[in-house]
Amino acid sequence: MTTLTDPPQASFRLSMLLSDTRYRSYTFQFIALMLLIAAIAFLGSNLMRNLAAAGLNISYQFLGSPAGYDINQTLVEYTSQSTNAKAALVGILNTLLVAFLACVTATVLGVIAGVLRLSNNWLVSKLMSFYVEIFRNIPVLIWIIIIFTIMIAVLPGPRAFRGDEPSASMVFDAIAFTNRGVYIPAPVWGPGSMVVVITFLLSVVGVFAYRRYATKLLYDTGRLLPMGWPSLAIFFVPALLAYLVMGMPIGLEYPELKGFNFSGGIKVGGPLIALWFALSIYTGAFIAENVRAGIQAISKGQSEAAGALGLRQGRIMNLVVLPQALRVIIPPLISQYLNITKNSSLAIAVGYADITATLGGITLNQTGRAIECVLLLMLFYLTISLSISAVMNVYNNSVKLKER
Amino acid sequence: MKKSVFFGALTAAAGLAAGVAAAGTLDDVKARGTLNCGVTTGLVGFAAPDSNGEWEGFDVAVCRAVAAAVLGDGNAVEFVPTTGKTRFTALASGEIDMLARNTTWTFSRDVDLKFTFVGVNYYDGQGFMVPKDLGVSSAKDLDGATVCIQTGTTTELNLADFFRSNNISYEPVPIETNAEAQQQYLAGACDVYTTDASGLAATRATFEAPGDHVLLPEIISKEPLGPLVRHGDNEWGDIVRWTLNALITAEELGVTSANMTEMMAGTNNPEINRLLGTEGTLGEMLGLDADWAAKALAVGGNYGEIFEQNIGEATPIGLARGLNAQWTDGGLLYSPPFR
Amino acid sequence: MSDTHANSVAFVRTEQVPPSPPPFQTSGPVKWAKDNLFSTPLYTLLTIVAAYFIYVILANTLPWILNGVWSTSSLAECREVLDGVSGGCFSVLTERWNQLLFGFTYPSEEYWRPTLAFILLFAAAAPVLFYKLPRKLLIITGLFPFVAYYLIWGGTIFTPILALVGFVAGYFVYQRFVAGSFAAGFFGGVAAALVVWNIGGMLIPENANENAMLLAVPSRDLGGFMLNMMLGVTCVSLSVPLGIALALGRQSDMPLIKWICVVFIEFIRGVPLITLLFVASVMLAYFFPPESTTDLFLRVVIMITMFSSAYIAEVIRGGLAALPRGQYEAADSLGLDYPQAMRLIILPQALKISIPGIVNIAVGLFKDTTLVSVISMFDILGMIRGPILASTEWNGVYWELLGFAALLFFVVCYGISQYSQWLERQLATDHR
């Protein structure tokens, strides 16, 4: 608040703490600080008294003691004799795994649904809006349970594959869909497979180098090299050649029915699939809305202007509309990724061993260290969220419209 | 004073918070007029709401007996459903006065988590259930099997130990509630379901074709299940302990809900008289009425009656007494004398 | 004029020919189909795929729904009636209807009370949702919480009356002093309300609940869809004022207050709701005074309110940021102090912009109330996964129950989001 006259030079009086805007903010902050301290002291002393009354203490020593339970899906080596901290690590990796997978598929689904919803095809666009509305308006927990139930009730158990006249059979003799999960062939790395892998990695680098070169050539000289087929060729041909030259060193190990279960191959567990799928289609519906809003936010004048410059339809999309639409799409997209990560904590409903199920579930139950486990759990999610937000801020700053 | 009055007003106003309490749990319960008893979220036979929402079962009967002993009314119980995760916090924080939820008495729960197990109301052990057509006759044949297991229980640890010590592998499928375990097991998502043998029998009883499933002979652990209370409130612990003992002793002495009124008139057996409060001052020592045990017995009868009514052989669950017979019949039930 | 041509040419058309209908190919359903379904080969393919997809779904679900059995008392009986034909056992819905809606422990003779409260909810929400209704109706909205509390929990009528009197007293004191200074009015109002509650709390007799007109129902007995509705409505309405305060705090010039709000908001937004519910179920009890216990419902309400208030604060912050700078400066230049400027100029506009966002948060929150089933509360999902599926009669009925729950949520959430879109159109005051 500005006044034309100079502020009065009167000496400081106590009443100015309330009446003078210069000092009043200090008063308020002081009060706020006092209230905060009082609240913390109140809660803290209650905690101390409660713990003392129950004879408990806060201790993180349980993290170092053996967990004692087994986990069915682990990305790192883990046995029931590993420590609770290791079990938490397994959970963290599983959380990140399902979150990553779901982010990828949700994006694909969402972009397809968002674009199709804008299509002129009446049936398809209605179908897509139906998809979006159905999935957006029903709780994700219900979806997770529904999809898990579908998996369990509809897919055959391994028992159905047994016998002379099995009621179920493997797809292409390679992939088995069971209600315990999907078994897919695993690659077997024979001698010489390193060469193939290295060739493949080099050719990936080659693709990028070629595209860079073509772009540079276009900007420098105006000559337009074909992009599509040379990229594909560089991508596949050298690796394929190396594979043949080395005498096909990479084989596939097919899953086989042995004893109670399939063995061999890679097992993608049922809970993982259910969670992955449910999170993907649920979040995909939200992403579809973001994509639609992003594309619609680009005014028609932009594509008309590009058309007037003589750009082809594909190039208008690639060079004019998409870069601008992405600026609108990506921030909400990243917060959807954040939601996926947080919603993956619902794994507990289907028995997927994520961090909430290991640290916040079994470890908490077995050790009874509720406060410690929940605090660690929150710390983990907070770290993830803050890192994703940090990435988002960096991105937002880099694409911010550079205005004068 | 002012603060407490204000909080009192708020709590009364909110109607959501239970009253401000004094020293002991017994006084709390008496002041409140109801017993808060933690039970499972639903295991038929032990604690499950029927279609009218009335809780019934073996554990529930223990709660009702304690409520009757303390308050004189077996229906003055608030049943608080707890999961494996929330049960101990609920008890430690005072949300419930006692926990009767198939909880295994273990060293660390007793010593580290600071709970007092007042006794054992069911001697159990962890077993396995498999479909008959799997052709498995021993748990040692289960190499490579997928095992459904309720998380947050001691069974999880026993299972890991069992397979480890027998050097065979398995794949655990952790499940939150019994209903889901049932669903997955029946759909074939797991080959084996493991939990306390009593729980297996209770679960099997709800199947459409219980005969298609067998319980394997191995019992891989000791699971003494019993009610528990917080450490440090010994008066309250005594009440729950001796209510349980009263139920057991009553069966041993042949006191049933049918002949109780008769016996209340006085018998030749001094222990029965002491139990029913017609002789001695046992009730007074506990801080209860003289006929506390009689009231507890009046709700559902003695231990044997409760057993037969909820989980016995005449019920769909069909458990034999086995270890849970009186010591005089070769079981483990052995109540200290009422003296 | 026409005369001049009359003799010179053989035929002159004197009136316009009525336009002939366009050819069949370019009009009517054929043209529509051609334009909208089969315009390019790719679209034709898409249309065929989509049509097949729809066919498969309908072919599987329609017979199941139409063949449904509505009046058996157990799954086995229902399967017998169906005799192998595909069909839903919807009798689980009719038989467990009350449990699905009210939970299994709410006294059955009192079902009319939550039902009445639910109907009143519409009357209370109407003046808030449709701002063209007379403002006088807001009185109903103001009274609703107390009436609803009394209806659902029952017990002595003094409790809600006392609460109401406290609020009224606080409001009058606020009105009396707010002209002088907002702070005086606000704190005076709070103090007046506290005084009333304090005195009133001593007046209410100890055993008032026992002979009350309406049977007192402990909150542990609430359940079913009613619990979802109650959690949703309570937490959203509590978190809006809290969210406004947090948003203003985050915008504040005072560093300390600003940082408290920022830390709170970012912390809450950074963790999943389920961990906050774990806090409510396993941790929060340790933070209350040892002598008192607070029941799970209240603890869950506290945590969910905190959760949604952080999100609502961010929406309102967006609304505040979207206001042109000039509005703030104009308020300053009129000589309004901060509370006045906020109350009279800034917030009315910022809230208006934020309403669609708040409604979105409300929908999301309402969906998230199903998470309480994880911490052993019997909301509709908890009822389904717990007592109903565990019962001997209905063990194995998944689709009917889950579908029913999904349908209920869809109806409510879709309704709210349609309202939000309608409101957005109403509030669009910029002229396009």
Side-chain angles (χ1 to χ4, degrees), chain A residues 351-373:
Chain A
Y352 177 69
D354 78 330
I355 176 85
T356 315
T358 57
L359 180 68
I362 308 179
T363 298
L364 189 157
N365 285 328
Q366 298 299 2
T367 61
R369 298 279 173 192
I371 297 179
E372 295 89 334
C373 285

Side-chain angles (χ1 to χ4, degrees), chain B residues 2 5-7 9-22 32 36 41-42 44 49-55 78-83 85-86 88-90 92-95 176-177 179-180 182-184 186 203 205-208, chain C residues 75-76 79 95-96 99 104-105 149 153 159-160 162-163 194-195 197-198 200-202 204 218-221 278 281-283 285-286 289-299 373-376 378 385-387 389-393 395 398:
Chain B
K2 186 167 164 116
V5 171
F6 171 61
F7 272 113
L10 253 196
T11 48
L16 299 167
V20 177
R32 203 187 303 130
N36 291 334
T41 52
V44 175
D50 64 8
S51 53
N52 300 322
E54 285 291 317
W55 285 89
E78 275 289 339
F79 291 100
V80 181
T82 56
T83 62
K85 178 176 293 153
T86 55
F88 295 127
T89 325
S93 66
E95 190 184 344
E176 282 276 304
T177 67
E180 284 162 63
Q182 214 168 300
Q183 175 195 358
Q184 298 214 20
L186 286 177
T203 309
T206 64
F207 289 176
E208 250 176 294
Chain C
L75 183 61
R79 293 223 169 108
E95 210 230 1
R96 297 291 174 117
Q99 290 200 354
F104 61 91
T105 39
Y149 169 82
W153 275 276
T159 317
L162 176 64
L194 290 185
V195 167
W197 286 331
N198 234 323
M202 288 187 274
I204 294 184
S219 55
R220 194 173 290 120
D221 289 353
F278 283 170
S281 72
V282 302
M283 252 174 85
Y286 288 114
E291 308 84 42
S292 73
T293 57
T294 322
D295 84 18
L296 187 59
F297 180 80
L298 185 60
R299 281 183 274 152
S373 65
V374 176
I375 54 164
S376 76
F378 292 102
R385 301 214 297 160
L389 279 183
S391 68
T392 332
E393 301 96 52
N395 170 5
Y398 303 108

